[in-house]
Amino acid sequence: MGPGCAGVLGWLLLVQAALRAAGSCCPCDAKDFGHGSLVCACSATYCDTLDPVVLPAPGTYIKYESSKAGKRLERSEGGFQHNAETPDFHLTLDTAQRYQKVKGFGGSVTDSAAINIQSLSKDAQNHLLRSYFSEEGIEYNLVRPMASTDFSVRLYTYADAEGDFELKHFNLTEEDTRMKIPILQAAQAVAKRPLSLYASPWTSPVWMKTNGAMTGRGTLKGSRDKYHQAWAKYFIRFLDEYAKHNLTFWAVTAGNEPTAGEIVFYPFQCLGFSPEHQRDFIARDLGPALANSSHRDVRLIILDDQRVMLPYWAEVVLKDPVAASYISGIGIHWYLDFLAPIDLTLSITHHLFPDYSSSHTEASAGSYFWRPRVVLGGWDRGTKYSHSILTNLNNYVTGWTDWNLALDMEGGPNWSKNYVDSPVIVDSSKDVFYKQPMFYHLGHFSKFIPEGSQRVGLSVSKKCRRCDLEHSAFLAPDGAIVLVVLNRSPTDVSFGISDPRVGFIAAMAPGDSIQTFLWKQPA
């Protein structure tokens, strides 16, 4: 080999080492839309990726960092110190304290998400799905689809034929067979981790409803009768039809936001239930229908609505032994969190009903009418996601699911013009999509805290009055320790991390940043 070749080889090795240190073979193609931080642009020919996570040698750690300043899951390495002076503010790991096990993290394949994904070229679609589900992406494992929502271009159910109590005319629609099912199958094909699908219906067919409309105030007709039996059968038929496409479900919820259907003139699809009505429907109809079907192992989740309803909703439903026997968990949304302190809702509910898991089943930024819908590069929206995830995880929640996987530049399509933001925004006119700060915030959890991880104790030496650090620690199934630290303040914060079995890390959280630390403990 001549000296010229050796020089080129040396340069290539240096580049490879630098990229490996950054945690990806393909860095972010950064675009600045003037909203305070960056998005990463992806196309048919290029998209940023991450290397598979490889735990470092004992006595060392790896750190992934994203920041308002522009870092996106940037990887670095460091070593534990011994006999170092511990700073006043430090976190101490205690793996003897064990809490809930994690189910996972993910998003929703709505009709709108599917439309946007399929508006891209095949290669760009592949990059988008790999970004979410593959080992070179953030490795989502939870996916939430079912029928039409406000994020559809039309209103429909699977059984719109009047009076079809036997559901002889039940059929999936083009939205399923040509859009959502192919996307779910493609996601499964690129995912290393198994995906857990769960379904949430927005409304029953209108002929089953008291108001004869998909929107507005209305519930199921009758009581313990053919309408309730037909609605329970509807769930089973949905699961049957998806199973024909080799798509099986981990769970169903009893219905999306049941309190919405109690609101006069509610503008989106809804089906009203009180907690008493949901309790009786599960005990008499839905629970037995699932138990007596081939889908008896599908979990049933109640509420799927705002946490302000807790613990009351859980007390009404779960104190009935028949209903409770069919239920495995409670689902919550984030839209009214400002009305409901988490310690007075989720924490109390967990201590009242410790055998039932809690899952965060929907969130979206830009949902309030006085806020901009889509903000390309909005760091604060990513921070809001991470704050919600950490707060929920620290109060016994087992999983966190975002709303639409992808939306267009307007935040749609949405038949009712209820536009919102998304971690991925598609510009089909350019065959590109933009990965928002929200995407990378979610990745700090979804990629590094796999299903089966267990939250462990993390004590704080003292309150940090001049900073805004939030944190949570986990023991992963492979024995790794995973620690997530969020700094919502604009000020850099020095702190320490102490693992009594390994040593001490002298750390610094830059202002407006999120970090994930990983290390091995001795066997």
Side-chain angles (χ1 to χ4, degrees):
M1 182 185 294
C5 292
V8 170
L9 179 60
W11 180 83
L12 288 172
L13 289 171
L14 281 172
V15 170
Q16 185 181 42
L19 289 174
R20 185 171 299 279
S24 64
C25 79
C26 307
C28 169
D29 179 11
K31 304 293 182 188
D32 188 347
F33 285 86
H35 295 132
S37 194
L38 307 172
V39 299
C40 299
C42 295
S43 65
T45 57
Y46 185 85
C47 197
D48 56 294
T49 60
L50 293 162
D51 287 337
V53 177
V54 178
L55 291 177
T60 64
Y61 66 89
I62 53 176
K63 177 181 72 177
Y64 290 82
E65 182 174 305
S66 300
S67 65
K68 187 176 183 179
K71 290 184 178 180
R72 295 295 180 264
L73 286 166
E74 186 171 305
R75 184 182 184 276
S76 60
E77 298 183 8
F80 280 85
Q81 302 175 19
H82 302 279
N83 304 316
E85 186 175 339
T86 305
D88 287 342
F89 179 57
H90 62 272
L91 311 173
T92 301
L93 188 76
D94 181 3
T95 55
Q97 281 189 302
R98 303 289 178 96
Y99 302 98
Q100 82 276 21
K101 286 193 174 181
V102 171
K103 178 62 185 175
F105 306 87
S108 303
V109 181
T110 60
D111 292 355
S112 297
I115 288 167
N116 283 299
I117 293 169
Q118 292 188 338
S119 72
L120 295 165
S121 64
K122 289 294 183 183
D123 288 340
Q125 287 182 43
N126 185 50
H127 280 149
L128 194 157
L129 292 175
R130 294 187 72 84
S131 290
Y132 267 128
F133 296 103
S134 80
E135 198 174 23
E136 67 187 39
I138 61 174
E139 299 191 76
Y140 270 12
N141 73 313
L142 293 180
V143 193
R144 180 181 182 232
M146 189 172 179
S148 76
T149 71
D150 52 316
F151 280 91
S152 300
V153 295
R154 67 187 185 98
L155 290 80
Y156 66 89
T157 73
Y158 300 128
D160 289 331
E162 182 77 27
D164 183 18
F165 291 100
E166 296 302 316
L167 303 186
K168 293 178 180 178
H169 302 288
F170 185 103
N171 278 305
L172 298 181
T173 65
E174 287 190 351
E175 286 87 347
D176 297 281
T177 57
R178 294 190 179 183
M179 292 161 44
K180 289 184 284 193
I181 286 172
I183 286 170
L184 290 169
Q185 291 170 333
Q188 283 188 327
V190 302
K192 183 178 180 181
R193 300 172 184 170
L195 302 185
S196 293
L197 311 183
Y198 67 105
S200 302
W202 259 240
T203 181
S204 69
V206 297
W207 56 269
M208 295 186 189
K209 292 183 67 176
T210 54
N211 65 335
M214 291 197 189
T215 64
R217 184 178 184 180
T219 186
L220 287 177
K221 294 177 179 176
S223 175
R224 196 175 187 180
D225 59 5
K226 58 185 180 180
Y227 290 100
H228 287 71
Q229 291 163 12
W231 181 228
K233 188 180 296 183
Y234 183 100
F235 285 75
I236 308 304
R237 288 298 309 278
F238 170 80
L239 297 171
D240 288 343
E241 294 302 315
Y242 264 65
K244 293 175 184 177
H245 298 271
N246 294 318
L247 292 170
T248 56
F249 280 72
W250 159 66
V252 296
T253 80
N256 177 72
E257 296 188 353
T259 60
E262 303 285 352
I263 300 172
V264 177
F265 305 126
Y266 191 77
F268 321 130
Q269 297 99 310
C270 56
L271 182 64
F273 277 88
S274 66
E276 293 82 5
H277 190 180
Q278 187 173 90
R279 174 197 64 203
D280 295 344
F281 172 59
I282 289 169
R284 298 167 180 172
D285 303 294
L286 182 55
L290 284 167
N292 294 320
S293 75
S294 59
H295 311 290
R296 61 185 60 87
D297 293 329
V298 173
R299 310 292 179 88
L300 179 55
I301 296 170
I302 61 167
L303 190 56
D304 199 17
D305 207 333
Q306 317 309 321
R307 75 181 188 211
V308 71
M309 302 303 300
L310 295 174
Y312 175 70
W313 195 285
E315 289 182 296
V316 170
V317 178
L318 295 177
K319 284 185 176 178
D320 178 276
V322 178
S325 69
Y326 296 115
I327 294 163
S328 68
I330 302 162
I332 54 165
H333 296 186
W334 85 339
Y335 301 104
L336 297 179
D337 280 3
F338 59 89
L339 295 177
I342 200 162
D343 55 330
L344 299 180
T345 52
L346 279 180
S347 214
I348 286 177
T349 302
H350 168 77
H351 291 296
L352 286 171
F353 304 101
D355 296 332
Y356 296 86
S357 64
S358 295
S359 301
H360 184 285
T361 51
E362 188 181 312
S364 61
S367 58
Y368 301 124
F369 69 86
W370 59 88
R371 301 275 191 192
R373 299 310 196 182
V374 174
V375 178
L376 286 170
W379 180 259
D380 290 348
R381 291 188 169 179
T383 294
K384 188 175 181 184
Y385 269 38
S386 287
H387 169 68
S388 172
I389 296 169
L390 284 166
T391 306
N392 277 276
L393 289 172
N394 287 334
N395 284 273
Y396 306 99
V397 165
T398 61
W400 202 95
T401 306
D402 186 33
W403 193 201
N404 302 275
L405 283 183
L407 293 175
D408 63 23
M409 298 288 281
E410 193 175 26
N414 183 291
W415 71 265
S416 62
K417 303 194 185 317
N418 181 37
Y419 304 126
V420 300
D421 214 337
S422 172
V424 167
I425 295 295
V426 171
D427 186 346
S428 59
S429 69
K430 298 178 181 176
D431 195 33
V432 299
F433 63 92
Y434 302 113
K435 287 154 56 168
Q436 297 256 54
M438 288 179 282
F439 176 91
Y440 296 94
H441 275 265
L442 280 158
H444 275 272
F445 300 90
S446 60
K447 186 165 186 67
F448 307 110
I449 309 173
E451 180 174 359
S453 299
Q454 188 167 17
R455 183 165 67 92
V456 295
L458 190 66
S459 62
V460 183
S461 58
K462 69 173 188 177
K463 285 287 184 182
C464 182
R465 300 188 183 280
R466 298 186 305 278
C467 64
D468 199 10
L469 289 194
E470 300 169 45
H471 32 73
S472 197
F474 300 85
L475 177 62
D478 64 359
I481 298 298
V482 185
L483 170 64
V484 183
V485 178
L486 173 67
N487 182 5
R488 291 197 289 163
S489 77
T491 306
D492 296 351
V493 177
S494 296
F495 67 103
I497 302 167
S498 176
D499 181 343
R501 297 183 60 194
V502 184
F504 177 79
I505 298 172
M508 193 270 286
D512 294 308
S513 72
I514 180 169
Q515 301 170 317
T516 302
F517 297 81
L518 298 98
W519 67 87
K520 284 181 181 177
Q521 288 190 316

